[in-house]
Amino acid sequence: AQKITQTQPGMFVQEKEAVTLDCTYDTSDPSYGLFWYKQPSSGEMIFLIYQGSYDQQNATEGRYSLNFQKARKSANLVISASQLGDSAMYFCAMRELGSWGKLQFGAGTQVVVTP
Amino acid sequence: DTAVSQTPKYLVTQMGNDKSIKCEQNLGHDTMYWYKQDSKKFLKIMFSYNNKELIINETVPNRFSPKSPDKAHLNLHINSLELGDSAVYFCASSLGQGKDGYTFGSGTRLTVV
């Protein structure tokens, strides 16, 4: 069964606007971590942000913030003030404590930032 | 200076051949992984080693054999390559199983013709 769901296959966003990428997850493990990665057209996987299941505050890293709603099992990524260089594929991933570190990925959301 | 390095970056080969992809990390991480990204960009784990011991072996054809000579290296050998093996293969490493993030290699694009 799919444990990470990203329902938006693609999105267009205008430069300087904010964009929210949806991610819901499914786990019965009380301890887990949630990650977001960016994959530009060059292909490398770039780590953006991490949220632990026990973290009290939502994670933020520069223009990236994670809207973590534990009861709803959602971990949406918010990119503020979009830039042309933000055009990429974005992946949500989860690591459960008992999974030997395995990352389970969603299908990804392709973001295109337009001038 | 590169944290997780994979070689080669591109690999084009004929069906039926045997090929290897090498991965090395200089981060001192305990755990290394192989992931496969298919043509639809979906990423799925294949194998994981912790201190040279195989700890994750997902449902992967036995034509794929990982080898970890030491905790800094994890190689992937593929026998009798098939068209469906064409994908991007990512090596990654992590320190333990806590909140420490992964570091991915830059990927190896394998094309089987």
Side-chain angles (χ1 to χ4, degrees):
Chain A
Q2 186 67 18
K3 289 207 167 193
I4 299 286
T5 303
Q6 294 180 254
T7 56
Q8 306 150 309
M11 298 181 74
F12 285 94
V13 59
Q14 211 150 19
E15 209 176 356
K16 299 178 187 172
E17 306 242 313
V19 61
T20 298
L21 308 183
D22 295 341
C23 173
T24 57
Y25 59 91
D26 181 27
T27 182
S28 55
D29 195 328
S31 180
Y32 53 90
L34 297 157
F35 299 78
W36 277 92
Y37 284 88
K38 172 183 178 181
Q39 187 176 41
S41 57
S42 50
E44 71 269 30
M45 295 291 288
I46 301 168
F47 167 73
L48 296 178
I49 197 166
Y50 169 87
Q51 180 85 43
S53 58
Y54 293 119
D55 293 345
Q56 295 296 313
Q57 292 190 320
N58 286 344
T60 60
E61 291 284 349
R63 293 186 299 111
Y64 305 107
S65 59
L66 203 152
N67 183 0
F68 181 46
Q69 297 187 49
K70 193 170 180 177
R72 296 180 62 184
K73 293 188 175 176
S74 78
N76 298 340
L77 177 71
V78 180
I79 307 173
S80 62
S82 295
Q83 301 171 356
L84 295 177
D86 294 334
S87 294
M89 192 76 155
Y90 289 81
F91 292 98
C92 180
M94 176 175 67
R95 179 167 65 188
E96 296 164 300
L97 181 61
S99 67
W100 285 104
K102 174 171 74 174
L103 272 181
Q104 298 175 84
F105 285 87
T109 296
Q110 181 72 50
V111 172
V112 176
V113 181
T114 58
Chain B
D1 208 17
T2 307
V4 180
S5 60
Q6 293 179 231
T7 53
K9 190 166 175 62
Y10 299 97
L11 187 52
V12 181
T13 188
Q14 289 189 322
M15 274 196 305
N17 283 352
D18 302 339
K19 289 292 177 187
S20 291
I21 306 171
K22 295 186 175 183
C23 180
E24 175 182 4
Q25 55 96 2
N26 62 5
L27 298 165
H29 286 172
D30 297 328
T31 310
M32 296 185 72
Y33 312 81
W34 279 110
Y35 284 82
K36 179 181 179 180
Q37 186 172 41
D38 63 23
S39 58
K40 294 184 178 175
K41 301 281 193 176
F42 189 70
L43 276 148
K44 193 172 189 311
I45 193 165
M46 300 173 71
F47 302 103
S48 175
Y49 272 75
N50 179 267
N51 281 319
K52 301 194 295 175
E53 183 183 343
L54 180 67
I55 54 172
I56 295 175
N57 184 353
E58 295 286 300
T59 309
V60 176
N62 57 15
R63 298 182 295 103
F64 290 79
S65 52
K67 285 190 172 50
S68 181
D70 55 60
K71 77 172 194 177
H73 294 85
L74 178 62
N75 303 324
L76 183 65
H77 188 76
I78 315 170
N79 289 327
S80 303
L81 277 154
E82 300 177 358
L83 292 175
D85 298 332
S86 295
V88 179
Y89 293 85
F90 284 98
C91 178
S93 71
S94 71
L95 182 64
Q97 297 180 51
K99 65 182 278 184
D100 308 278
Y102 272 48
T103 303
F104 279 86
S106 56
T108 295
R109 182 174 293 278
L110 171 66
T111 304
V112 182
V113 297

